[in-house]
Structure formats: C-alpha cells, structure tokens
Amino acid sequence: MATGVGTASGQTTDSRLTYTARTSRTSYGVPHIIAANFASLGFGAGYAQAEDNICLIAEKAAMVDATRSRYFGADEENLRSDVFFQKAKLDRVVERLLAGTPNGVDAPSQEARDLVRGFAAGYNDYLSKTGVANLTDPQCRGKLWVRPLNELDLWRTTWATMISSGSLAALDAIVDAAPPPAGASDRAPRSGTDVADVVEKAMGRNEANGLGSNAYGLGREATGNRAGMLLANPHFPWDGPDRFYRMHLRIPGVYDVEGASLVGDPIIQIGHNASLGWTHTTSTAWRHVFHELTLVPGDPTSYYYDGRPRKMTQRTVTVQAPTTTGGLGPVTRTMYDTLYGPVVVYSGELPWTTTTAYAMTDINADNLRALDGWLQMGRARTVRDLKTVLDRYQFVPWNNTVAADANGEALYGDHSVVPRVTDTLTATCIPTPFKEMYKVTGLAVLDGSTSKCALGADPDAAVPGILGPAHLPVLIRTDYVANSNNSHWLANPAQPLTGYPRIIGSEQTERSLRTRLGVLQVQQRLTGSDGLPGTTFTTENLWQVAFGNRVYAGELVRDDLVALCTANPTATASNGATVDLTEACAALRTWNLRVDLDSRGAHLFNEFARGPIPFQDPFVVTDPVNTPRVLAKGNPRVLTALADAVQRLAGIPLDAPLGAIQTEPCGAERIPIHGGPGSAGAFNVISSTLEPGVGYPKVQHGTSFVMAVEFGANGPAGRQILAYSQSANPNSPHYADQTRLYSQKGWDTIKYTDTQISADPHLRTYTVRRP
C-alpha cells in the first residue's frame, strides 16, 4: 500500500507518483517552469509558489477547510466564513462537481486534475523539506494552520474563487438568514432601486471594495508593427491571499504561457503565448438572481412551487472555535436551502417574513470549468480561436475578456457566466415592485412560485441556467477595444454593442471618468494629440500611456474649480464649519493634473472628487466619451466638497508632493507610490485609506500585474511588472523589488523565448523532483 500525507479532509496524496520539473528563476524571482506533462508542470508551480508565498496558500486552504475561527480568531467574520464553508463540505459540493465525466465542462478534464494534483504534491514537497518550524516567513512559521494539502483542498479554493462575486460575497445574508419568530408581524420588502443599492454595497460590487481593471486590445491599425498588442492592468488587493503571482509554464509542444495567476492557482489566468495575449476586467453582469418565495401560511420554512408546498432543507452546521477558557468549543448555526439555492436576508430590503422569503441562485456555484477554460485559452493561437474556447467552456466567472493576436485582431467579450435572465423572462416573471429595479440596475428578482419563471436553458449554453454565447456581447476589430469596468456598450465607440439582456450591463448610459479617459487615451494616441511621437502604439508608449497618471476629472474641472474658489475664498463644510479655501485654491492652481510622485496638490483634488462631481451639462448619448464635462459652478455642493476635503486633510500640507504622503510599507522602508483613485478619473488606479494628519501610508488595492505585450517575427516582446512584488514574505529578496521598480515607473521585460530567458543576468536554474 502506498504511503501518504494526511490532510484535514482525511484524504491522502499518493507518494508513489513521480514528478520532475525544471525551474529557471529570472530577474525579480519569476519562475519559468518546464516539465514533460501537466502533473509535473503543476508540481513545479506548486513548489515555486510555496517557496514564495506558502503562507498565502495555507491561509486560503484554512478558509475553505472552515478553520479560520480556530486559527485566526473567533470574530463574527471568521465564524460566518467557517459556517459557510463547513456547510459546503457537508453538502460535498466540490466532490459532486468533480464526479462528472472529465471532459472539462461536465467535470474537470484529466489534464486539469493532473495540474492540481501536481501542484498539491509540489507544495507538500517544499513543506516537507523545509518544515513548518523552519519557514522563513514569520507570518506562518510554526503555525498549526500550515499543513500538507491535497487536490480537494485546491479544488475548494478554486470553487471559492468562482463564487466570490456571488454566494461568497453574499455570505452574511446566507449564514444569518433565519425564519421570523412566532407571532412576528409581516413586513413588505422595499421597492425601487433600494434593494440593488443595498445588495451592491453588501457584495462589494464597486471598486472601493477592491476589484477593477483596465484593458486595451490593439489591432493592426493601431500598432507600429501591424500586429496585435495588449495592455493588461488588473486592479486587485495588495495584501492577503487574492494576490497575483508571475510565472511561465511550459510543456514543449503542448503548452507554453507566460503571465500571472492568483496565488495558489496552477494555471495562467492573464498572460500570453507565442501569438495571443489576453486579460480580464471585472464585468458589470450580475452572477446571481433572487427568487421571491410565497410561504405556506403558518410555516415560514415551506413555500409553494407550482401550487404545491415544498419544505426548505435545513442544515445545522457546527464549527469549532476558541473559547474563553483557551480550548475549542462548538458554534452552531442553521441554514436553509430551496430548490433555487440558499435563503438570503437583506434586512428590510429582502426580509424573511411570515408570507415571503427570498432565495438566491449563484450561477457560478457549479463552475469548476475554469481551469480547463484557461488551459485551452493558453493553447489558442488567435482571438477567433479564443472566442471558440469562450463559447465552448463558458468558464470566466465574473470577468470581461480582452485579447489581441499576432494577426492584428483584437477582441472584447463579456462571455462570463451570467444567469439566463432574458427579456422574455423578465417581461412576465419579475414581480411589480422589482420591475423598475431590474430596468435601472439589472438585478433580477423572479417569481419563485412557478416553474415558468425558472432560468431554463439556452440551446448553445455550456450548461443550463446561463446565457448562451448568442446572448453575450463580443466584438472583434482591427483598431482597438477597451474596457475599464463599465459595461460592454462602449468597448469601441465606433461600434457600440447594444440589444443585450439588462442583467449583463447598461447600454447608452453615462460612462465613468476612468472609462472615458481610457478611450480618449487611445483616440489621442492614434491622432498624435497626446504629446508622444507618432500616431501608433509601441510597447514603450503603451507603457507611458498606462503610467501617464492623468486625472481626467482634473483635466475637465480644475480650472473652473480654481476660478470658483478664488471668487469664494471661504466655504461652509458639511459639518457647518467655515473653511478658508485660500491655501487649497493655490495648491490646485499649480497642480500638474497628474498623480505622479512629484504631483503637488493631487491628494487635495482626489479628496474633493470622492463623491460624484456635479456637472452642469447633460450626458449626450451620441457623444458618450466627452459628456458631461462642465463643472456645475452654481451647485453649492462643489464648494462644500472642497471644504470637506480641506478638513479631512488637516495637518497635511495641501501642496505636498504625492510621493511624500502616499506610500507602501515594506519592512522599515516606505516606498513612494504613484497613481490615484478611479473616482477622480485616474487611469492608473491606486486606492489607499486616508490616515488623518499622515496621508495614505498603505495601498489597499489597485494596479497589480501590468503587462504590455506585442507580437512580432521574433515572438512576443514587451514589458511587465507586479506592483507589490512576487513574494509576501518579508524575508524574501523579492518582497519589495518590483514595488521599488513600480515607484520609478520601471519594468521587467517579457521573457518568453529561450533566448530571452537565457539572456537574463540573474538567471538561476534548478530541478525539483519527487521522489
């Protein structure tokens, strides 16, 4: 019998299997891994990632193993997380998804399973050789939550990523849902858009909560060498397990992709091969729908379906958490499921009353297709091949896809996983109180009492319940496509995408300032009006555009704002205090309209632009990139917003250079950070929390992995950087090196071919194997 390594799930990793991978570490610690098969490729990736970020991977595993309370403290957030994931374990959610036919759609393919198995083995091999007590990272050295992993642990973390914009984001509403007590009076849900507003905030569906991105796909008409070019610029958290990791994975003749993955994943999610590059941006589509349940009188845990009562499924979940006496004790919650999914409660917006309850369908809850989707994406050679992959697997959980190829074509598509909410369905299945909400926001509440309002199945969809490719927006062009997190409508203003279900996103509506700047930057580059040489893109000027640090709101309104505060040197703040604006006016007058390290006064404008800037002119649907653009100088909110900004910045010089007050701590070092908030129209998004009297001493999220790649006769070339560096280990040599590079607007070069890799001055090659 084979010996094995025990895991929390009680399974074993078979030690009879052999793995061999060669790793070449280039500058900044980036691993280029070569293996003969997918199992060994996963082994090399798992070993390399454990070397750099074992604590982050172990923390993810603790979360999906429902042990956060045990190891990280029994606060409510950890307890709810444990209850949620313990229920998923009891329900054997991931095991059921793995049990289908391994074809990549019904269940993961053998190649994907080999990758995951190998990754677990590589991680375990590093841990076994090093030992928990000897880890160099103090964050998890000697910690009990660092343990050997197996495939199931990793599939559970993959599943958690899939549902992160659905049921995981709604975790509190699911875990805390409880039927009304006996004798409770009935309450009607709120109507209008209140429900969507509450749900959007609760689920973190906005950039203030950590997710966003920019992307350009440039075709032959926009590039100097007449081939495709791609800018990837995801905005993700700078700390915690949801960080990117740069790597290059290669099986000669089979798979060869360089780019970045989320830490703990064995596949490249944003990257390029020899002739195709792709990236993702967060999509506006909703990943779930709600169903309004009509309850059986006298029994709030039963509901009617097609005229017959159905009982909810109750699941009592117990987790172990620290007690006040120092041991562990049980914490128990009861959760409720329906044929649609779990019951949810959003206070007065979607309450559970004596007559009505609401259930949630997370359309990604059965999505383990993603590893296969990204695997096949890495094998695509053109954007048209890529579209075939997107259509076949329909795996992208909550993202748009932007791509460009060596033929000079560029693609935009929101081919993400979207509930099948069609115009026909919404016409008859949304209860009257929620019709306007769907029209305005795209969030659907469906009548849950009848099978006629079930999501159904599109004939071209990969799985039932989701919109098929024919219902999803896609655009292929030879000039450009762009996305900065607004909907599909304006991927290219010359060819607006219209006529798609509202659940995907809005059409013919005002775009964000960042989206507008993103399009303008391309248009101005192609006309030569941006001050850079020429009228096409190279990777050099694409990098300059990405890190040009323009602030579009400042370009539009700064001069009028200065004129207004010059004429009104005092203003009343929101708290009623009178604020002297003289110094603020002077700082804004000399600000260079950018968020560079030496930009003086940028922080003042960023604080002013926290809330929506009032514009005087209307949005014009035929001129969406340029409207609105005129400051509403007569609106008293303008001066109030400036006065509020001055108050918040008390103790901080209003004309301080941004680099002196916006920093990232790396040990004892404070690295100056350029970039600014998307709310101000900054393209290079950096979001930091203001510390009164200090500034912005820690980046929360924003620009993370950046890649500018082009395709030519000698293969792919270009620039890339991981803004927060390769390792979260403060004792790693690669803990802050790319962060310093980012501070200087520097870059690491694309290293894809053998020639590019072997020319790296810091090349270090080693082989990992088992046994």
XYZ file of all heavy atoms in Angstrom, residues 31-35 41-42 44-45 115 247-251 255-259 265-268 752:
195
model
N 9.524 32.547 -11.857
C 9.868 31.181 -12.254
C 9.364 30.837 -13.652
O 8.212 31.099 -14.003
C 9.157 30.331 -11.201
C 7.947 31.135 -10.836
C 8.350 32.583 -10.964
N 10.238 30.262 -14.455
C 9.894 29.710 -15.768
C 10.031 28.197 -15.630
O 11.134 27.682 -15.461
C 10.815 30.265 -16.844
C 10.808 31.759 -16.934
N 10.152 32.449 -17.924
C 11.361 32.708 -16.119
C 10.311 33.748 -17.743
N 11.038 33.929 -16.646
N 8.902 27.505 -15.696
C 8.858 26.096 -15.314
C 8.623 25.241 -16.546
O 7.680 25.474 -17.307
C 7.755 25.863 -14.266
C 8.036 26.729 -13.020
C 7.651 24.390 -13.901
C 6.841 26.900 -12.118
N 9.467 24.254 -16.744
C 9.356 23.336 -17.871
C 9.193 21.925 -17.329
O 9.916 21.505 -16.416
C 10.597 23.407 -18.776
C 10.758 24.811 -19.357
C 10.494 22.391 -19.913
C 11.991 24.961 -20.232
N 8.239 21.198 -17.903
C 8.008 19.818 -17.486
C 7.519 19.012 -18.673
O 7.164 19.568 -19.726
C 6.995 19.764 -16.344
N 4.239 19.702 -14.379
C 4.159 21.160 -14.506
C 3.491 21.746 -13.262
O 3.951 22.747 -12.702
C 3.373 21.534 -15.757
C 3.418 23.005 -16.163
C 4.822 23.407 -16.578
C 2.432 23.272 -17.305
N 2.404 21.111 -12.812
C 1.763 21.549 -11.578
C 2.684 21.408 -10.383
O 2.702 22.266 -9.487
N 5.978 21.668 -10.349
C 6.916 22.781 -10.361
C 6.267 24.079 -9.933
O 6.873 24.873 -9.187
N 5.033 24.317 -10.374
C 4.334 25.543 -9.992
C 4.024 25.553 -8.498
O 4.180 26.583 -7.818
C 3.044 25.680 -10.796
N -2.816 18.786 -13.200
C -2.216 20.051 -12.763
C -2.425 20.261 -11.270
O -1.502 20.608 -10.534
C -2.830 21.208 -13.536
C -2.100 21.778 -14.742
C -2.952 22.865 -15.390
C -0.742 22.336 -14.363
N 4.424 33.899 -13.391
C 5.125 32.657 -13.707
C 4.964 32.334 -15.186
O 4.150 32.920 -15.894
C 4.653 31.496 -12.828
C 3.208 31.110 -12.943
S 2.801 29.725 -11.808
C 1.060 29.489 -12.186
N 5.757 31.396 -15.642
C 5.774 30.928 -17.031
C 5.724 29.413 -16.982
O 6.581 28.775 -16.363
C 7.054 31.431 -17.701
C 7.208 31.019 -19.137
N 8.372 31.278 -19.846
C 6.389 30.385 -20.013
C 8.243 30.820 -21.086
N 7.049 30.269 -21.198
N 4.713 28.821 -17.623
C 4.515 27.376 -17.593
C 4.675 26.806 -19.000
O 4.065 27.307 -19.952
C 3.114 27.044 -17.056
C 2.776 27.574 -15.658
C 1.345 27.193 -15.285
C 3.760 27.048 -14.619
N 5.456 25.730 -19.109
C 5.745 25.202 -20.441
C 5.859 23.688 -20.442
O 6.596 23.103 -19.632
C 7.050 25.811 -20.968
C 7.452 25.337 -22.349
C 8.781 25.963 -22.729
N 9.286 25.453 -23.993
C 10.508 25.672 -24.460
N 11.364 26.400 -23.742
N 10.893 25.177 -25.612
N 5.110 23.060 -21.343
C 5.321 21.670 -21.743
C 5.675 21.734 -23.222
O 4.826 22.119 -24.037
C 4.072 20.793 -21.538
C 3.643 20.799 -20.066
C 4.317 19.370 -22.002
C 2.324 20.091 -19.831
N 2.044 23.175 -24.306
C 1.507 24.328 -23.582
C 2.672 25.238 -23.242
O 3.710 24.770 -22.745
C 0.803 23.857 -22.300
C 0.175 24.957 -21.478
C -1.090 25.453 -21.786
C 0.837 25.508 -20.375
C -1.675 26.455 -21.031
C 0.259 26.510 -19.615
C -0.995 26.988 -19.945
O -1.569 27.982 -19.201
N 2.516 26.546 -23.514
C 3.627 27.471 -23.280
C 3.039 28.860 -23.058
O 2.738 29.577 -24.009
C 4.579 27.466 -24.478
C 5.902 28.183 -24.185
O 6.024 28.800 -23.116
O 6.801 28.122 -25.051
N 2.863 29.253 -21.794
C 2.178 30.505 -21.464
C 2.935 31.228 -20.359
O 3.333 30.617 -19.355
C 0.724 30.243 -21.011
C 0.037 31.552 -20.649
C -0.052 29.530 -22.110
N 3.123 32.520 -20.534
C 3.738 33.377 -19.523
C 2.693 34.400 -19.077
O 1.879 34.863 -19.871
C 4.943 34.113 -20.111
C 5.628 35.059 -19.127
C 6.666 35.955 -19.792
O 6.574 36.178 -21.018
O 7.552 36.450 -19.075
N 2.726 34.767 -17.797
C 1.794 35.775 -17.308
C 1.650 35.724 -15.811
O 2.646 35.679 -15.091
N -3.128 29.099 -7.542
C -3.715 28.500 -8.737
C -2.606 27.980 -9.650
O -1.574 28.640 -9.813
C -4.574 29.514 -9.482
C -5.872 29.808 -8.749
O -6.183 29.070 -7.794
O -6.567 30.759 -9.122
N -2.822 26.835 -10.295
C -1.754 26.218 -11.082
C -1.763 26.599 -12.555
O -1.091 25.954 -13.352
C -2.064 24.725 -10.915
C -3.563 24.679 -10.871
C -3.979 25.926 -10.137
N -2.518 27.630 -12.939
C -2.705 27.960 -14.342
C -2.553 29.466 -14.532
O -2.807 30.244 -13.613
C -4.104 27.495 -14.824
C -4.183 27.415 -16.349
C -5.197 28.361 -14.258
C -3.406 26.261 -16.922
N -2.125 29.885 -15.729
C -2.031 31.305 -16.043
C -3.423 31.830 -16.372
O -4.105 31.294 -17.247
C -1.082 31.553 -17.231
C 0.304 30.987 -16.928
C -1.015 33.044 -17.562
C 1.027 31.652 -15.793
N 10.013 35.129 -22.721
C 9.199 34.005 -23.168
C 10.026 32.973 -23.931
O 9.905 31.782 -23.702
C 8.073 34.524 -24.055
C 7.133 33.463 -24.564
C 6.157 32.919 -23.723
C 7.209 33.015 -25.879
C 5.288 31.946 -24.199
C 6.351 32.046 -26.354
C 5.387 31.512 -25.520
O 4.532 30.551 -25.979
